[in-house]
Amino acid sequence: ITAEQRTARKNFLGASDVPAILGLDPWRTPADVYLSKTADLIDEPGDAAKLGNHFERPILEWAAERIGTLEYDLPTCYRDGTVLCANLDARHKASRSPVEAKLTAVGDGWGEAGTDQVPERVLVQTTVQMICNPADEAFVSAFLAGCRSVADALRIYRIPFNAQLA
């Protein structure tokens, strides 16, 4: 996301903030989110996040070959009447469904390709994305490092909107 989007997000809870607030993010705590909103901290991504950012576009382009044309470089979306916002990695052009890119390790809650079996933190993140960008489903395009083959490592998950979770 851009520096301007980071600044604007200080007044909102982003889709990636909510899993941290709920204690589902292994890298951030609720206190980290609080400080990111209230203190003048430099919000620099760590090495793992930087690596994920470098691989984001190729992971999304691979997804587009399988699910159809994607839209990129989207403005922040907000849910009126709430403090929620989301910066989408991409959006499926035909359905307007959010598409999230992940570069991650095997074994931390990722199920079989084509299912909705993603780690809880990703389920919550994509749910917030669907709240802010109304859609019936979201896609997660993931590269799971550590798989035996690239064919197994690249996966697409379909996450249906869950009103009860929302």
Side-chain angles (χ1 to χ4, degrees):
I1 66 174
T2 67
E4 293 80 19
Q5 288 171 322
R6 276 195 180 86
T7 299
R9 282 175 47 152
K10 280 191 165 277
N11 298 316
F12 294 90
L13 294 176
S16 60
D17 294 330
V18 177
I21 291 168
L22 296 175
L24 300 173
D25 187 333
W27 302 283
R28 294 174 52 210
T29 68
D32 293 327
V33 175
Y34 175 78
L35 289 173
S36 75
K37 306 299 179 185
T38 60
D40 287 330
L41 301 174
I42 298 172
D43 188 17
E44 287 296 322
D47 287 341
K50 287 178 185 176
L51 188 62
N53 289 339
H54 287 296
F55 281 93
E56 181 176 291
R57 187 56 70 110
I59 291 169
L60 291 169
E61 289 170 354
W62 175 85
E65 292 174 7
R66 279 134 189 91
I67 64 173
T69 305
L70 302 182
E71 300 173 307
Y72 302 95
D73 304 318
L74 301 161
T76 302
C77 52
Y78 302 90
R79 177 61 180 239
D80 290 340
T82 75
V83 296
L84 297 176
C85 74
N87 294 100
L88 306 181
D89 292 341
R91 184 170 52 205
H92 187 255
K93 190 169 185 176
S95 68
R96 299 185 52 80
S97 297
V99 182
E100 179 67 19
K102 294 292 184 194
L103 172 66
T104 189
V106 174
D108 66 349
W110 296 93
E112 295 297 316
T115 69
D116 64 353
Q117 307 209 345
V118 297
E120 285 183 308
R121 68 183 181 276
V122 178
L123 178 62
V124 170
Q125 180 184 18
T126 55
T127 298
V128 173
Q129 290 173 347
M130 290 184 278
I131 291 170
C132 296
N133 177 89
D136 294 330
E137 69 178 345
F139 296 94
V140 178
S141 179
F143 181 86
L144 279 65
C147 286
R148 292 182 186 189
S149 71
V150 172
D152 188 45
L154 288 163
R155 302 179 184 182
I156 295 186
Y157 298 88
R158 290 174 106 85
I159 314 299
F161 182 74
N162 180 326
Q164 186 175 5
L165 178 59

